[in-house]
Amino acid sequence: MLTTEKLRQENSADGVSRRALLTGGLATGFLLAFHLPLRAASYAVNEPVQPADVTAGKFAPNAFIRIDETGNTTLIMPQVEMGQGTYTSISMILAEELDADWTKVALLHAPPNDKLYGNPTFGLQVTGNSNSIRAWWKPLRTAGASARAMLVQAAAAEWQVDPASCTTSRGEVTHAASGRKLGYGALALAAQGQTPPKDVPLKDPKDFVYIGQPLKRLDTPEKVNGKAVYGIDALLPDMKFATVAACPVFGGKVAKVDDTAAQKVPGVRKIVVLDDTVAVIGDHMWAAKKGLAALKIEWDEGPNARIGSKEIWQHLRAASEKDGAVAKSVGDIAKGLATGDKFEASFEMPFLAHASMEPINATIHVKPDSCEVWTGTQIASRVQSEAAKAAGLPVEKVIVNNHLLGGGFGRKLEPDMVVAAVKIAKQVDYPVKVVWTREEDIQHDVYRPVYRDTVTATLVDGKVAAWKYKVAGSAVLARWLPPAFQKGIDIDAVDAAVDAPYDIPNFHVEYVRAEPPAVPTGFWRGVGPNNNVFAVECAMDELARKAGKDPVEFRRAMLANKPRALAVLNTAAEKANWGQPLPPRVGRGVCLQPSFETFIATVVEAEIDELGEVAVRRVVSVVDTGIAVNPDTVKAQIEGGLIFGLTAALYGEITIDKGRVQQSNFHDYRMLRIDQTPKIEVHVVKSGEPPGGIGEAGVNAGPPALRNAILAATGVALRRMPIDRSLIAMGKKA
Amino acid sequence: MATTLTINGEQKSFDAPPEMPLLWVLRDILGMTGTKFGCGIAQCGACTVHIDGKAVRSCVLPVSAVRDRAVTTIEAVGNSPAGAKVQKAWLDLEVIQCGYCQSGQIMAAAALLAATPNPDDSDIDAAMAGNICRCGTYVRIREAIKQAASGRQS
């Protein structure tokens, strides 16, 4: 009988082996030995998907750079690629200071190792919070520069010249005075014996050759022909396939399972009953699905079976009336609120599912003394330790093979799918790929929390004189990274609230921790700033109306001390034809945001018909993210982020009834599609500031800018997401 | 029950229940993982393949319904002129982000161009609205289809 792996080899489109790619290169001339995603034609059960990080016989100056004697340069990626382009940008940063030959660059995923590859901001391997470039900018430049200096030292020693008289470019050291040159490959072994310099100088940004260029992404050629391998594509000899049903009520358990019918489904191999989940293992996903459908499962629904959206919102609204922990206070808020023209409004945001296109999955092989994991995760080291706990093994006995992620958006900052898959795989001696159906993926997510944000403000002389902003919602950080939760403040939930760019003499931000009953919450693309930017920018538009001012003019008057924010606002207004006449029922809405150390001004133009239907016509975003490592990636992230945010604004809401999620798939948890996509124009500002975050920033902008466009077109001030078409149709004015 | 299909020009024989969707035959029996699972109910288009050149959602297509029709998947779409043009335009314009939906997007776009060599915006909407991209690459997908159609270079 042919194994799956044998079949895979036979079906491999061109039968190209990993070795052939490593040595032969691709037609593009790039080595691009993307070890991990290649269709591994010859690995056996115990072999990891990607080759180990071999340092012997190579120049290996640090955890990130390996240069062999032929000059092939392998860069080890501490952050994961989930579409945001970080593999390319991180490589560009390393290659820049190393003066590497870009055509000889190959990439390798970092293995789980917090000491070597821990995100400098978090102290563990995390790809999130739009901080890959921000966190690694300096450390990776230093790693590249230090390696370059060692190569120069090796060449200078060989030539017996002053290292300062040598230069580097594209993988070569040159001594101009004598006309001598040596490639990095020829210098690799000698460089390995050099001492890394202290305080190595970094390049002046004006000398950058890669950074700032729209270089082609390194991960995309294999994504046009089916060769890219995501976690869900792992294939192993003799593997089986499983799918799961978790108790539909949060916190419920399995009471009883009758598997008589399921056992008779052809291809079903085993039924696994866990505490709160039932899994069926079969010869393929179809057998597993059919088997699962044939099971009769009784659930012990537990205490959450009576919880619904109504109770959740009552709970949150009550909590939001309480005083919160003070996250920031400038001036005298009590005094400030005592005078002037008063405004108060609360803004509500729903639960949201991540719905990455690759449903959650993990492939696991548990053996008596080891456990191997194939998945795509944003948290490799945490997956390793959680898998070890679930398998009952020491951490070092767990191998994690990370993969490209088919979208992460924060869902893959959680290890739950790996833990469940390990518990399932523990019951058998063969490898099992556990794939959640879309329905299970949507109904067993960790959800973007519900938030209720209240802004109380006063206007004096047409400007905001006092601003009290209270965020109420889940403290995801308190669960996810407990040491970061201090003094009752979730710094993520108020991130863009405390950084609001406006000059307001009495400025006060509070946070009330309110964990929703029953529903687990987690990070969702755009994280805390999603709720902050929405509340701040919606309130600013209402305040502008109250003051009788144009929304852009109103904001501009409070930005004298924030030149970057002011500049993007002015440019966006100009590019979007702000102030120029529009047809009836068409409006423009603006959003200004400081999130992830990136300043963005966005103008959405939308047409709203009398029945409340909304068509987004055009979006203009002007982005100052400091140095844009790869400007085309910055543009792409804003384009995509805007769509992600607009999707949430137009459709996104997870509702709860009887302790269960009511949505299940893309028919009732809708996504924006190409025929609803507006024209999007992104302008990236040239800047010398350190890079800001970009992967999530666009998401923040969509909902408030669209909501403000609806306000401009109709006079209806929506205060809840997603947009309520019936409120617009009824024309309830602000 | 042994079934034989013509996939990417080759005969493939395998045992599968007749109602088993082609998607799972491709992925789990034949090991052809370029075709993706997204929703299982023909709502997202990640599983799009060509059956006799037409874009079809393989997640709801019983394998027994394929019979002697030609199946083309993302692994071989580049062998057709339209498929190759689409792949090139996708890379030229750097359409792709996470890439998970892009097998389906490319299959849908290649079928569109094979049938309608110069699609306008409404043709593109009609052919591509069944394909969800969670990364939001739609602006570039539209542009890349137009580029592939015109044959112009970026």
Side-chain angles (χ1 to χ4, degrees):
Chain A
M1 185 191 138
L2 287 173
T3 62
T4 308
E5 180 50 31
K6 190 79 175 32
L7 282 163
R8 181 178 216 169
Q9 284 176 41
E10 289 180 352
N11 286 294
S12 170
D14 56 7
V16 69
S17 74
R18 182 199 307 154
R19 180 55 47 195
L21 263 163
L22 275 168
T23 51
L26 290 175
T28 55
F30 286 82
L31 178 67
L32 198 76
F34 231 115
H35 311 269
L36 181 78
L38 283 183
R39 188 162 300 279
S42 58
Y43 64 83
V45 173
N46 291 321
E47 236 185 305
V49 171
Q50 66 170 355
D53 169 23
V54 177
T55 54
K58 289 180 184 169
F59 176 44
N62 50 50
F64 310 101
I65 296 168
R66 309 282 177 261
I67 301 176
D68 72 14
E69 289 179 84
T70 66
N72 287 338
T73 302
T74 302
L75 302 178
I76 301 173
M77 298 290 107
Q79 300 296 100
V80 303
E81 180 59 64
M82 45 190 174
Q84 81 282 38
T86 208
Y87 267 18
T88 307
S89 320
I90 280 181
S91 301
M92 287 169 70
I93 294 170
L94 280 165
E96 180 67 66
E97 294 288 351
L98 177 61
D99 270 334
D101 180 349
W102 186 248
T103 64
K104 291 191 167 182
V105 164
L107 309 184
L108 205 59
H109 260 320
N113 187 327
D114 286 334
K115 280 202 185 100
L116 291 178
Y117 302 109
N119 184 312
T121 303
F122 296 100
L124 70 158
Q125 274 172 296
V126 176
T127 304
N129 201 33
S130 296
N131 92 333
S132 294
I133 299 303
R134 286 188 287 161
W136 287 104
W137 174 242
K138 193 86 187 290
L140 291 184
R141 287 182 71 195
T142 306
S146 174
R148 175 194 164 275
M150 291 164 77
L151 288 155
V152 168
Q153 287 165 22
E158 166 81 18
W159 296 327
Q160 302 200 330
V161 300
D162 179 0
S165 64
C166 299
T167 57
T168 52
S169 174
R170 317 250 162 182
E172 279 184 338
V173 183
T174 300
H175 184 248
S178 61
R180 284 176 290 189
K181 278 182 186 211
L182 275 172
Y184 285 0
L187 290 164
L189 294 184
Q192 185 61 19
Q194 296 292 321
T195 308
K198 277 185 200 155
D199 304 323
V200 63
L202 301 179
K203 279 188 184 177
D204 186 320
K206 75 175 167 43
D207 298 325
F208 286 161
V209 292
Y210 298 134
I211 291 173
Q213 300 303 312
L215 295 191
K216 288 288 176 192
R217 286 175 62 138
L218 297 171
D219 59 328
T220 47
E222 295 205 322
K223 290 178 173 176
V224 299
N225 56 21
K227 283 190 195 154
V229 177
Y230 301 83
I232 203 169
D233 300 328
L235 283 181
L236 299 160
D238 303 318
M239 77 186 287
K240 302 292 176 203
F241 303 80
T243 196
V244 298
C247 181
V249 177
F250 291 114
K253 311 276 180 212
V254 181
K256 208 168 113 192
V257 179
D258 174 357
D259 65 5
T260 320
Q263 295 283 11
K264 291 179 190 153
V265 172
V268 165
R269 295 281 167 169
K270 192 173 173 72
I271 318 294
V272 177
V273 180
L274 305 176
D275 195 31
D276 59 354
T277 297
V278 183
V280 176
I281 305 175
D283 289 344
H284 36 66
M285 181 72 168
W286 184 242
K289 276 184 79 164
K290 294 257 291 185
L292 197 67
L295 285 175
K296 286 188 191 132
I297 309 171
E298 281 176 37
W299 303 104
D300 167 6
E301 297 186 347
N304 291 326
R306 282 190 299 275
I307 301 287
S309 289
K310 195 177 148 208
E311 289 74 29
I312 289 164
W313 281 103
Q314 277 170 352
H315 175 267
L316 180 58
R317 285 170 191 147
S320 78
E321 300 298 325
K322 296 181 204 156
D323 287 336
V326 178
K328 186 172 181 178
S329 201
V330 175
D332 185 334
I333 191 64
K335 218 166 147 187
L337 288 176
T339 54
D341 197 0
K342 199 160 174 183
F343 166 84
E344 181 166 302
S346 292
F347 299 93
E348 297 184 342
M349 282 141 279
F351 288 124
L352 294 168
H354 296 83
S356 37
M357 292 309 295
E358 179 191 10
I360 56 170
N361 66 85
T363 299
I364 311 284
H365 193 188
V366 178
K367 285 179 256 176
D369 58 354
S370 69
C371 172
E372 190 158 359
V373 178
W374 293 262
T375 197
T377 178
Q378 296 173 249
I379 44 160
S381 57
R382 190 172 278 185
V383 155
Q384 184 187 35
S385 58
E386 292 295 320
K389 271 189 240 166
L393 289 166
V395 171
E396 63 273 16
K397 295 292 181 190
V398 176
I399 296 166
V400 176
N401 302 285
N402 211 350
H403 289 69
L404 294 171
L405 279 69
F409 313 129
R411 180 65 183 94
K412 293 159 190 174
L413 285 169
E414 305 291 337
D416 58 302
M417 70 295 281
V418 174
V419 170
V422 169
K423 289 177 181 170
I424 294 161
K426 260 172 92 171
Q427 312 274 328
V428 294
D429 58 6
Y430 43 78
V432 185
K433 170 152 60 181
V434 187
V435 174
W436 275 249
T437 59
R438 176 59 61 193
E439 291 79 5
E440 287 288 318
D441 176 288
I442 284 184
Q443 299 191 332
H444 298 282
D445 201 337
V446 287
Y447 299 87
R448 197 288 296 271
V450 286
Y451 287 101
R452 185 169 201 261
D453 292 6
T454 304
V455 173
T456 313
T458 54
L459 285 168
V460 174
D461 299 332
K463 281 190 184 180
V464 182
W467 172 271
K468 181 182 173 188
Y469 173 18
K470 180 164 39 172
V471 176
S474 181
V476 177
L477 211 54
R479 170 182 67 82
W480 197 85
L481 196 64
F485 185 70
Q486 299 281 337
K487 298 178 183 165
I489 295 161
D490 184 305
I491 51 175
D492 171 57
V494 297
D495 190 353
V498 296
D499 285 343
Y502 305 108
D503 259 343
I504 299 172
N506 304 293
F507 180 92
H508 183 90
V509 177
E510 285 183 15
Y511 172 71
V512 179
R513 183 179 184 183
E515 298 301 335
V519 181
T521 57
F523 295 116
W524 190 90
R525 188 181 184 191
V527 291
N530 277 335
N531 84 85
N532 303 145
V533 174
F534 184 73
V536 171
E537 292 303 290
C538 290
M540 283 298 164
D541 253 45
E542 291 197 49
L543 283 160
R545 280 175 93 85
K546 205 172 170 69
K549 297 253 167 90
D550 170 82
V552 167
E553 196 50 52
F554 182 71
R555 286 171 172 78
R556 207 177 260 153
M558 296 185 285
L559 292 170
N561 296 319
K562 288 280 169 21
R564 294 175 72 189
L566 180 61
V568 293
L569 179 66
N570 285 337
T571 309
E574 180 204 321
K575 303 268 185 199
N577 314 106
W578 187 267
Q580 290 178 25
L582 287 168
R585 298 201 69 86
V586 178
R588 291 191 191 95
V590 68
C591 168
L592 177 66
Q593 66 188 82
S595 40
F596 311 103
E597 298 176 79
T598 293
F599 291 94
I600 303 180
T602 300
V603 176
V604 162
E605 189 179 301
E607 180 169 5
I608 296 91
D609 76 15
E610 289 178 1
L611 303 175
E613 204 41 63
V614 175
V616 185
R617 292 161 41 124
R618 182 184 179 207
V619 186
V620 174
S621 274
V622 178
V623 183
D624 176 356
T625 188
I627 293 170
V629 173
N630 186 322
D632 190 55
T633 297
V634 170
K635 212 165 155 261
Q637 285 307 295
I638 298 301
E639 290 166 1
L642 286 164
I643 301 273
F644 203 93
L646 289 169
T647 298
L650 288 165
Y651 305 118
E653 181 163 23
I654 289 291
T655 54
I656 309 295
D657 184 40
K658 299 190 177 75
R660 299 156 158 83
V661 168
Q662 291 181 286
Q663 292 70 31
S664 65
N665 205 321
F666 294 124
H667 64 289
D668 57 7
Y669 190 68
R670 288 180 64 184
M671 300 293 138
L672 200 80
R673 292 170 183 268
I674 195 169
D675 56 342
Q676 300 152 301
T677 298
K679 265 197 298 186
I680 300 180
E681 300 152 50
V682 178
H683 305 273
V684 181
V685 171
K686 282 238 182 252
S687 168
E689 300 285 334
I694 209 70
E696 298 173 271
V699 182
N700 302 155
L706 174 58
R707 179 270 190 189
N708 288 340
I710 294 168
L711 176 60
T714 65
V716 177
L718 299 173
R719 289 184 178 161
R720 194 171 192 288
M721 286 286 109
I723 60 169
D724 183 337
R725 288 154 181 86
S726 69
L727 288 180
I728 302 171
M730 287 187 292
K732 197 166 162 276
K733 303 283 181 191
Chain B
M1 192 186 90
T3 306
T4 301
L5 293 185
T6 307
I7 302 175
N8 299 336
E10 289 176 40
Q11 302 271 301
K12 302 281 182 193
S13 292
F14 49 86
D15 285 329
E19 80 288 0
M20 182 168 172
L22 177 63
L23 170 68
W24 301 115
V25 171
L26 292 171
R27 290 184 56 82
D28 292 357
I29 296 184
L30 299 176
M32 300 173 70
T33 53
T35 304
K36 301 303 189 204
F37 165 54
C39 69
I41 58 168
Q43 286 288 309
C44 79
C47 66
T48 305
V49 299
H50 293 174
I51 305 289
D52 282 348
K54 217 178 128 206
V56 173
R57 312 299 180 215
S58 68
C59 73
V60 293
L61 179 67
V63 67
S64 56
V66 179
R67 304 203 301 200
D68 58 353
R69 297 180 181 93
V71 179
T72 307
T73 69
I74 185 70
E75 284 88 352
V77 74
N79 296 338
S80 74
K85 274 194 277 185
V86 168
Q87 286 175 323
K88 183 176 183 305
W90 248 240
L91 291 175
D92 284 350
L93 295 184
E94 209 69 280
V95 168
I96 301 171
Q97 294 186 26
C98 93
Y100 191 81
C101 76
Q102 298 292 347
S103 293
Q105 304 280 1
I106 288 167
M107 295 308 285
L112 166 65
L113 287 185
T116 311
N118 287 297
D120 61 19
D121 280 327
S122 64
D123 295 327
I124 293 172
D125 283 347
M128 304 301 293
N131 289 74
I132 293 172
C133 173
R134 190 68 169 130
C135 298
T137 63
Y138 301 125
V139 171
R140 293 186 187 211
I141 286 174
R142 184 182 300 281
E143 194 53 34
I145 290 173
K146 290 180 178 173
Q147 174 168 318
S150 71
R152 79 186 130 87
Q153 304 293 307
S154 66

